[in-house]
Amino acid sequence: MTDAMSQMIAEAGRLLGPKAEITDPSEIAPWVSDWRGRVHGASPAILAPASTAEVAEIVRLAAQHRVPLVPQGGNTGMAAGATPPADGSALLLSLRRMRQIRSISAANRLAVAEAGVILADLHQAAHDIGMRFPLTLGARGSCTVGGLTSTNAGGTQVLKFGTMRSLVAGVEAVLADGSVHSGLGGLKKDNRGYSLDQLLVGAEGTLGVVTAVALRLVPAVADRAVAWAGVDSPVRALELLRFLEARTTSVEGFELVPQDSLDLVLKHIPDTRAPLSGTHQWHVLIEATTADSNYAIAAEIERLLAAALQDGIIGDAVIAANEAQAEAFWKIRDTISEAERAEGQTLAHDISVPVADMPRFITDAAAEVERTFPGVLASGFGHLGDGNIHFHVRAASHAAPDWYEAEGAAITRMVDDLVTAAGGSISAEHGIGQLKIDELERLAPPGRIHAMRAIKHALDPLGIMNPGKLVRG
Amino acid sequence: MTDAMSQMIAEAGRLLGPKAEITDPSEIAPWVSDWRGRVHGASPAILAPASTAEVAEIVRLAAQHRVPLVPQGGNTGMAAGATPPADGSALLLSLRRMRQIRSISAANRLAVAEAGVILADLHQAAHDIGMRFPLTLGARGSCTVGGLTSTNAGGTQVLKFGTMRSLVAGVEAVLADGSVHSGLGGLKKDNRGYSLDQLLVGAEGTLGVVTAVALRLVPAVADRAVAWAGVDSPVRALELLRFLEARTTSVEGFELVPQDSLDLVLKHIPDTRAPLSGTHQWHVLIEATTADSNYAIAAEIERLLAAALQDGIIGDAVIAANEAQAEAFWKIRDTISEAERAEGQTLAHDISVPVADMPRFITDAAAEVERTFPGVLASGFGHLGDGNIHFHVRAASHAAPDWYEAEGAAITRMVDDLVTAAGGSISAEHGIGQLKIDELERLAPPGRIHAMRAIKHALDPLGIMNPGKLVRG
């Protein structure tokens, strides 16, 4: 450990008190690897401030001692953006003790939550006042508001309410010079220059430490309908989405599931069964909601699906008869990745292309990958309505145990090339972190990398804000 | 004129051809003052490229010769952000020839419009495909997509659809180094780092020249209801908004009008009459729309207003019986500023505070200003639902002709101080330009100004992008 680092830790300890300055390696261990266990880092200490003022003090100390900080919430990120470097040269800055919901108002449709507030707790708080925070995702029990904001998280309800970017009304953050930016005023209109709030959303902690966020709330769900439809192809699935969108504003989830993924779930996940009796090449999980308790949402969706069936858009469909069945449908969707892992080695890509181009992209890209890497199985599932699917490539049954290491990079390069050629994004919702930084540099226009570096350098000239993530200094 | 400037003009002329390089002073004259005639600038030439490639060439020339550029669309801005400096040291870069709608799709709910596309033309193009671009404002016949984006324009329909920021799906811009940033991919999810798109929205041309914008479309309006209600106070007006919001999602305009403003309109604007027979201290103009042609929107609003009347929230209300009456209601709202000018000298402030605080702010701030500057009349009207009103201070009837020059700055400082103390914004929708730059520097937290300067310097190190606007280099 360098002298600067030990001095920094000692001073932070005096500042925060012993409870908030964790140096016991066994307490640190769970937080220095990413949750998928792909990337292993190291850090001599976790600093856990309890207030924005304490975060500001730590950032000032870090600037003074030139010690980099790695902000961390629930450590559920998919791109190792909250994992410290392996050489132990950075300190973990945990926001998990900042878990106050500072204010929440149904009249203003706003909640101000500190960075460490867990998503499920925010859901509950909104529910308690008859409102709803609509963004949700699998890690809801541990991911935090700060992490969700810093990664511009997505999830399954983006179709109607957008990603975090559109739900963030304002951000409070400690900038690299220790000053506090406060955008928590809750102003609906404010044209006083560059939007630092929007710049901090998705910046992965590289421009400042998000300490609190003003979040938009929407009316609570009065009723929902969950349906499962079988279709011939992704083209038909998109046709169904357009058909529904033209007739109702209630659809907020529209997830594509290939038959192959359904088969894996049925094989590996206990207590699952196929929603439809016949065989379909592709499936769609639809969730529609209403805030109006007088609105017969299930009847409406049933009527629309019957019309789609008659028009030949879908082959079959079923509406969940009750909450248990609705949950069973969602369980299929939510356990696809788990089922794939149980089957064998899988390579995941979180990609997007324009919505209209996605059906052809899924088919063409899968064919191209399977042709180039004989034996692998490629398919896409997920958020078709957002033009965002998880494009997974599974090893051949005879693949060597080191397939992932041996062929993974080449397959990923191919997928990323195909996505880029289609005008898409190599990271739709997971961010860049450290896992995709090389691919971003390889594929982004040089002007964009140059602009990002210029912004990074301008706001973090000492390079203490999560260095090595998103953009190299 | 400096040698560099003449050389730049000559080279630009060779590049663009004579039609696109305007040096005749009589042709330049209409474009070097802001439309309200407050600020008078000068420029030896207007350059009017017809393509993004030509804009990039001009920016490269400007960088090479160190000649600043002032991008300009319809020149309808309220803060003189598109007015060149008076010393003639900058060239006007008109985007008005870039008026192609590159693509428009009902299925994708997107239009890609070049910077010079006039808002009314975009409205028409969306209408032609059965869709709608919801943002609108008084200058719709001449303001352009590039200007609307660069100023994050607002208007009267923000309540439901947000400002330009939430309608912009992507931005194409020429950055200060001549590179082209293209965010026009139309991706609904893209987490590849800092959002340059969002940084360019509201940047007033100080970080790059917006050349085209991908814009979200919404379903066309099938029917609308326009209503006028009389209330006791701004508190009651907000109560009415909350009452409606809890019962319908159809309200998209909610404009507050004081009796005093109504009186001025009736006095000065021909063919206007009071919508209600009785006297009310305050009025609200409500617009509700539906995209569903089966939905009886007028009946719904009528029912809700009747309930609000019964609950004592409003004193009276009337629904426009036809389009002509609806237009007559809107005419009252839209001619308030004109009526005020006809009455005498007026000082306008475009301010916002949190929505919940606005009723008290209007009352308290008006009282405070009237107490401090005896004889003046202060009142607020406009977008109550956005927490954004136009806070106007009118000269006393006996005021000297130089009242505006003599007292204006002091009154504005007081209003800006009151707004800042209330956690509000001194520029809700008009931007900073050159008119509010001193007040921004006086009132913004130093950390914010520092961060904005750092970003400006990072992306425009030579200071050629609309210098002297928004933030000083």
Side-chain angles (χ1 to χ4, degrees), chain A residues 4-322:
Chain A
M5 177 71 94
S6 348
Q7 218 174 326
M8 160 97 197
I9 295 174
E11 288 180 35
R14 277 195 292 277
L15 182 78
L16 301 174
K19 246 183 60 191
E21 180 241 23
I22 298 152
T23 51
D24 177 344
S26 70
E27 284 182 67
I28 295 172
W31 304 102
V32 291
S33 297
D34 79 312
W35 77 271
R36 294 198 296 177
R38 293 272 168 81
V39 182
H40 303 284
S43 181
I46 299 176
L47 305 178
S51 69
T52 303
E54 286 186 355
V55 174
E57 292 278 8
I58 291 174
V59 170
R60 278 192 284 268
L61 282 179
Q64 186 190 326
H65 295 291
R66 304 284 199 278
V67 170
L69 299 171
V70 178
Q72 192 182 75
N75 195 28
T76 62
M78 302 293 276
T83 306
D87 62 3
S89 60
L91 290 174
L92 272 174
L93 177 62
S94 168
L95 280 301
R96 286 184 294 275
R97 286 178 66 218
M98 291 189 63
R99 51 171 55 187
Q100 271 213 306
I101 293 178
R102 293 187 192 163
S103 67
I104 185 163
S105 158
N108 295 334
R109 298 190 176 190
L110 274 185
V112 174
E114 290 185 342
V117 169
I118 287 170
L119 179 57
D121 294 339
L122 177 64
H123 286 158
Q124 186 59 47
H127 182 261
D128 289 347
I129 60 161
M131 297 294 286
R132 172 187 185 207
F133 180 67
L135 186 134
T136 189
L137 39 73
R140 72 185 72 91
S142 39
C143 66
T144 62
V145 161
L148 291 164
T149 302
S150 295
T151 59
N152 183 26
T156 50
Q157 322 299 112
V158 168
L159 191 58
K160 187 157 178 181
F161 300 104
T163 62
M164 278 299 278
R165 188 176 294 291
S166 56
L167 295 167
V168 167
V171 173
E172 177 192 89
V174 175
L175 304 182
D177 61 0
S179 70
V180 177
H181 162 71
S182 179
L184 299 183
L187 301 176
K188 292 181 79 174
K189 281 184 179 172
D190 182 11
N191 276 346
R192 284 177 295 173
Y194 311 146
S195 174
L196 295 184
D197 291 348
Q198 286 292 331
L199 192 57
L200 289 161
V201 174
E204 302 185 6
T206 62
L207 302 179
V209 181
V210 171
T211 50
V213 189
L215 294 162
R216 299 199 167 92
L217 304 179
V218 300
V221 172
D223 199 6
R224 72 165 174 169
V226 175
W228 191 277
V231 291
D232 276 355
S233 64
V235 170
R236 289 297 192 190
L238 185 59
E239 217 179 311
L240 175 62
L241 177 64
R242 301 305 197 205
F243 180 90
L244 294 173
E245 281 179 340
R247 288 158 181 83
T248 177
T249 56
S250 66
V251 175
E252 67 174 54
F254 196 89
E255 299 286 309
L256 184 71
V257 178
Q259 176 68 37
D260 171 61
S261 298
L262 175 58
D263 287 340
L264 288 182
V265 168
L266 300 178
K267 177 175 169 191
H268 292 290
I269 309 292
D271 303 322
T272 52
R273 63 159 96 178
L276 299 171
S277 51
T279 303
H280 304 275
Q281 283 300 298
W282 295 84
H283 303 258
V284 174
L285 172 61
I286 302 153
E287 175 154 315
T289 68
T290 178
D292 178 352
S293 53
N294 295 317
Y295 186 71
I297 183 89
E300 162 89 349
I301 296 300
E302 191 155 15
R303 187 179 65 76
L304 291 173
L305 289 176
L309 186 68
Q310 196 141 40
D311 287 6
I313 299 170
I314 62 176
D316 196 3
V318 59
I319 306 248
N322 49 45

Side-chain angles (χ1 to χ4, degrees), chain A residues 340-411:
Chain A
E340 285 184 346
R341 280 193 299 271
E343 179 76 5
Q345 299 177 71
T346 299
L347 197 59
H349 306 92
D350 158 52
I351 56 104
S352 66
V353 300
V355 179
D357 301 338
M358 184 51 92
R360 206 181 54 190
F361 180 84
I362 293 176
T363 311
D364 291 0
E368 183 110 0
V369 168
E370 291 179 356
R371 188 162 54 238
T372 311
F373 299 91
V376 305
L377 288 167
S379 75
F381 69 92
H383 325 302
L384 181 67
D386 306 322
N388 167 209
I389 56 154
H390 300 298
F391 189 84
H392 286 194
V393 181
R394 284 154 46 209
S397 50
H398 58 269
D402 67 345
W403 170 82
Y404 186 93
E405 284 71 27
E407 283 206 333
I411 294 174

